[in-house]
Amino acid sequence: MKTCFIVNTSLEKGLPIYLKSVGFNQSQEHIVRKNGHPDFHYLHTAQGRGVLIVAGKEYIVDESVAFFLWPGVPHEYYALSSVWSTVWLTFNGPASEMILKTMGIKPFEIFKLSSKQYLEGILEAISNKASFYNYIVSIECSQLIYSFILHMALNLQNKIERNFESNYLKLLPILKYIEENYSKNITLEELSKLIGLSPQHLCSVFKKTFQTTPYEYLIRIRIQKAKELLIKNPMVQIKEVCYEVGFKNPSYFCYMFKKLEGITPLQFKRLFG
């Protein structure tokens, strides 16, 4: 995994979540942060073990343990073994706190990893993209960090949230299908057949898991793809983008875009294109 430290532009800082750093430390040094880290900070052990000190308590951080800290939480950590290799991620952004609170992630969390390999895969993807950092890549990293937070939250949860994890895994084929076919005319019946549920049951499970309906989720994906097209190709016409991402009516496309983003597609194009 490559180590990357990002100097964010004002444009990138306007994203809901943006990357600050990601990487691998072959030999973790002794860290003392009396005023905490300035960003949201995740770390787990790749090899060896160390100790973390928060609020006067010591915690062993071995290869099955990770910790997560909000900005400003005083802490200290150092190696206990001759070699302590670590993997870390730091991020920030105006929506970070709200997202973490929604997922029940507290200012200090230390937890056993149940999906370490999967989390490392996301971090590897972030690291690879960050090596060629630009505004488009920053959007892709933002999406990956959101996915990382979601899967980190799954590691933290107890019985109630394990039901969430079960539902999430059940719905993964639908999320993948929407991501790959958002420009097509996707029906609820079509989605429900993918996982063998009735349309009504699918809506209920989806709403319970993601606090939104499959249709609303599809609309959000289409708007996100529209934003990417507007940024990548400043010369593209709004009507072209509308049809390319799956909307049939430009007026409805502009209405939903403004409803979700607070500005029209044309204003977004002028600001970021």
Side-chain angles (χ1 to χ4, degrees):
M1 182 184 298
K2 301 171 184 175
T3 295
C4 303
F5 292 91
I6 307 301
V7 179
N8 303 105
T9 65
S10 57
L11 197 60
E12 291 156 6
K13 289 181 179 179
L15 292 170
I17 304 174
Y18 55 85
L19 177 66
K20 292 293 294 184
S21 70
V22 62
F24 169 74
N25 194 335
Q26 179 64 45
S27 182
Q28 178 62 60
E29 66 273 25
H30 188 160
I31 296 293
V32 179
R33 296 191 178 102
K34 294 182 179 180
N35 297 315
H37 198 288
D39 303 304
F40 296 91
H41 177 34
Y42 167 90
L43 182 146
H44 74 238
T45 297
Q47 182 182 357
R49 60 180 188 148
V51 62
L52 168 71
I53 304 173
V54 177
K57 294 183 179 180
E58 296 188 358
Y59 305 89
I60 301 299
V61 185
D62 59 23
E63 293 177 29
S64 66
V65 171
F67 66 80
F68 182 75
L69 297 161
W70 287 31
V73 177
H75 61 274
E76 176 182 1
Y77 52 88
Y78 54 87
L80 285 179
S81 55
S82 57
V83 174
W84 185 32
S85 302
T86 61
V87 177
W88 86 87
L89 169 73
T90 66
F91 61 88
N92 218 312
S96 298
E97 184 173 329
M98 178 192 69
I99 291 169
L100 292 166
K101 283 182 177 178
T102 301
M103 302 219 181
I105 301 176
K106 299 174 183 176
F108 165 56
E109 300 279 10
I110 184 162
F111 52 95
K112 289 283 185 179
L113 286 164
S114 61
S115 56
K116 183 178 181 181
Q117 188 173 4
Y118 191 91
L119 289 173
E120 285 186 338
I122 299 177
L123 293 174
E124 185 75 41
I126 294 173
S127 171
N128 289 337
K129 289 185 178 295
S131 301
F132 307 95
Y133 207 74
N134 55 46
Y135 184 66
I136 299 301
V137 171
S138 72
I139 295 174
E140 295 173 339
C141 286
S142 182
Q143 293 172 322
L144 286 168
I145 292 170
Y146 181 82
S147 179
F148 182 87
I149 293 171
L150 174 62
H151 286 278
M152 180 175 67
L154 295 179
N155 283 267
L156 289 166
Q157 309 307 315
N158 294 315
K159 186 175 181 180
I160 294 175
E161 288 74 15
R162 278 200 293 270
N163 292 332
F164 169 84
E165 181 175 10
S166 175
N167 289 340
Y168 175 76
L169 293 174
K170 184 186 297 183
L171 293 169
L172 269 178
I174 288 178
L175 302 184
K176 183 178 179 182
Y177 186 83
I178 290 175
E179 179 70 26
E180 295 174 350
N181 299 277
Y182 61 87
S183 62
K184 300 177 182 177
N185 182 28
I186 300 175
T187 66
L188 189 59
E189 289 73 18
E190 187 179 352
L191 294 176
S192 61
K193 288 179 182 178
L194 290 172
I195 57 174
L197 297 179
S198 69
Q200 294 78 12
H201 192 190
L202 170 60
C203 283
S204 175
V205 174
F206 204 98
K207 181 80 172 179
K208 183 178 180 181
T209 307
F210 298 112
Q211 288 75 54
T212 190
T213 66
Y215 177 72
E216 289 168 343
Y217 180 83
L218 171 61
I219 293 297
R220 289 182 181 277
I221 291 295
R222 285 175 172 171
I223 295 299
Q224 180 60 42
K225 298 299 181 181
K227 288 163 60 180
E228 293 175 11
L229 288 173
L230 290 167
I231 291 170
K232 287 179 181 177
N233 184 3
M235 303 304 292
V236 72
Q237 296 297 310
I238 301 299
K239 187 181 291 187
E240 292 177 51
V241 173
C242 163
Y243 296 134
E244 190 163 341
V245 299
F247 285 95
K248 295 181 179 179
N249 186 308
S251 296
Y252 183 64
F253 166 63
C254 292
Y255 168 77
M256 291 306 303
F257 195 104
K258 185 170 183 180
K259 182 179 179 181
L260 294 176
E261 299 298 323
I263 56 176
T264 67
L266 185 58
Q267 288 171 325
F268 182 89
K269 181 182 176 182
R270 288 171 177 168
L271 280 171
F272 302 110

